[in-house]
């Protein structure tokens, strides 16, 4: 890994921007060709070997994204017109995949109906298989020799709330869902996790660290890209800022993997976006693509707080989630600890059951507030603007409260004043941090930003490979799909070298 500061030979065949979940996979795969020089640029700190990782990045039992975290970008957001807050995105080698909850569940078959024809479930299944080593299942749906270890927690390691929740969900008639990574999965069952022996194994540890010795792979950490440079519509390089100042990297091929907030931010700063919006801020337009930053989606989550009726204990490094209940458009999450314990410093002390809308209709928008790269963009979620979203969440919250008041759950927990008014929902509303679709893949340049080979429309030499290109948010957490997309993109990108 290169130290921060100016570099004598700042050029490469391909520059990958952002060593997060997708960037780690892509740089790992692209550098398998010894004739291709790959430069991976990451804003956050880098680590060479797993033992250099600080303990909180390794421990799968915590999400180190609280207000004092050194490993995140905090973005101010508006969840609704009345609710503001902030969201965290990973800013470290491994990105959000190095700080996340370790839930590693595939999208469902019908999620791919919203994707271009060349990204059907049958097309992507080989990539889902090749990213994983599933310790519990093999056969046609599963991989057994990929870089990411996947397992489900056995019952004898379940937290009391996991056991009680699974029991009442089954008693209420929900089917048992033994394998959430099989097509058609629904019901209550164990969550596939990319965790081994309590250690989070994200894309950086699986794809990048083992390959840092390759002479054709350079990782430049502590370097923030501020602009993509163009000659006309052809990419010529990047501006970066490090501790030692501003530098330019020359490159004819750039892949943005900066994540679903930073990628549209960077595009707009570079003149790629809605022309009227950019001109209003004095930015010269390179390509008029109104879909940059528009109509993104995420999973709104309402949390139902409760008190334990008796003391319960959680073993160290226990994952945040061991089972979920998935119905058509809802996921229920019996967290194994309060957010105060899961996210050190967050101060949110009560244990809770999460009720999450997995197929939301409401769409959000990311826009620049200024042309200064140091100003975070505005992120408006517009959650619950759709009446359908409010209705589905309301009835799911009612069902979740009923589950908490029956059988083993009522013996264990005392729900705290659950109600389904708009005010109560809004007060208990949060987000799953699954932001997707802010630079969607498609063929129409009015509604999409990249084609089905991840090329940015209207410019040459620029690609995007991260969750911003998802045409719609999957009805499961996005991490497994992000890794799959990067794995598949590494074979699809038509690079100049
Ligand atoms: C706290 C948290 C918990 C989550 N839990 C789960 C979960 O359990 N399961 C699940 O399925 N999903 C989860 N997610 C979502 C999932 O982790 C992300 O969707 C996924 O990791 C995104 O991958 P990405 O490659 O698109 O972006 P990221 O992994 O965020 O990577 C982007 C990288 O680009 C870098 N970068 C950004 N801007 C620049 C710049 N200008 N210059 C240089 N580098 C830059 C960032 O520092 C970062 O390293 C969680 C997310 C968070 C934040």
């Amino acid at each position: 890994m290169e130290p921060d500061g100016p570099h004598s030979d700042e050029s490469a065949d391909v520059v990958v921007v952002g060593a997060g979940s997708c960037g780690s996979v892509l740089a790992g795969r692209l550098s398998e060709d010894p004739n291709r020089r790959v430069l991976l640029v990451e804003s956050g700190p880098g680590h060479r070997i797993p033992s250099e990782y600080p303990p909180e990045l390794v421990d799968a039992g915590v999400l180190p994204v609280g207000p004092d975290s050194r490993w995140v970008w905090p973005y101010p957001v508006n969840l609704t017109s009345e609710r503001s807050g902030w969201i965290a995105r990973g800013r470290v080698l491994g990105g959000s995949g190095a700080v996340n909850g370790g839930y590693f569940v595939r999208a469902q078959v019908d999620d791919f109906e919203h994707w271009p024809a060349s990204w059907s479930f049958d097309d992507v299944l080989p990539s889902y298989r090749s990213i994983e080593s599933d310790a519990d299942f093999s056969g046609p749906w599963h991989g057994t020799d990929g870089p990411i270890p996947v397992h489900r927690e056995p019952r004898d390691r379940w937290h009391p709330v996991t056991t009680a929740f699974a029991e009442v969900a089954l008693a209420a008639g929900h089917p048992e869902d033994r394998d959430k990574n099989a097509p058609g999965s629904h019901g209550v069952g164990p969550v596939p996790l990319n965790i081994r022996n309590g250690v989070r194994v994200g894309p950086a540890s699986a794809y990048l660290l083992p390959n840092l010795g390759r002479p054709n792979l350079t990782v430049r950490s502590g370097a923030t890209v501020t602009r993509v440079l163009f000659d006309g519509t052809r990419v010529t390089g990047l501006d970066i800022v490090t501790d030692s100042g501003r530098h330019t990297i020359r490159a004819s091929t750039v892949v943005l993997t900066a994540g679903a907030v930073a990628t549209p931010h960077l595009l707009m700063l570079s003149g790629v976006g809605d022309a009227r919006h950019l001109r209003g801020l004095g930015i010269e337009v390179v390509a008029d693509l109104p879909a940059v930053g528009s109509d993104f989606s995420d999973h709104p989550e309402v949390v139902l707080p409760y008190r334990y009726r008796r003391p319960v204990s959680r073993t160290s490094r226990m994952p945040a989630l061991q089972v979920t209940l998935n119905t058509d458009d809802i996921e229920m999450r019996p967290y194994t600890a309060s957010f105060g314990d899961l996210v050190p410093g967050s101060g949110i002390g009560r244990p809770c059951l999460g009720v999450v809308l997995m197929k939301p209709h409401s769409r959000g928008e990311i826009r620049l507030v200024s042309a200064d790269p140091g100003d975070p963009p505005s992120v408006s979620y517009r959650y619950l603007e759709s009446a359908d979203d409010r209705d589905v969440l309301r009835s799911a919250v009612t069902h979740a409260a009923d589950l908490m008041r029956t059988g083993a759950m009522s013996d264990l927990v005392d729900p705290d004043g659950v109600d389904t008014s708009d005010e109560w929902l809004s007060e208990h509303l949060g987000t799953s941090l699954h932001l997707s679709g802010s630079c969607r893949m498609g063929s129409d340049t009015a509604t999409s930003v990249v084609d089905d080979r991840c090329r940015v429309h209207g410019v040459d030499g620029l690609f995007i490979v991260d969750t911003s290109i998802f045409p719609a948010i999957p009805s499961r957490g996005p991490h497994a799909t992000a890794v799959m997309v990067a794995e598949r993109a590494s074979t699809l990108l038509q690079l100049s070298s």
Side-chain angles (χ1 to χ4, degrees), residues 2-3 12 14 42 51 90 135 140 219 231 263 273 283 292 299 321 340 345 353 364 372 376 390 464 468 492:
E2 295 299 327
V14 186
E42 167 56 41
S51 60
V219 181
D231 177 6
T263 286
I283 296 172
V292 172
H299 292 140
L321 268 179
L353 177 71
D372 179 348
R390 290 197 299 277
I464 307 176
S468 72
L492 290 181

Side-chain angles (χ1 to χ4, degrees), residues 3-17:
D4 299 347
H7 204 241
S8 56
D9 177 22
E10 289 286 35
S11 72
D13 297 320
V14 186
V15 180
V16 179
V17 177

Side-chain angles (χ1 to χ4, degrees), residues 318-342:
M318 180 177 270
L321 268 179
Q322 295 173 310
V323 303
T324 57
L325 168 62
N326 292 89
T327 61
D328 184 36
D329 38 19
I330 289 291
E331 182 166 275
M332 289 192 199
R333 304 180 182 157
Y335 290 107
T336 61
S338 67
F339 282 111
D341 289 335
L342 289 173

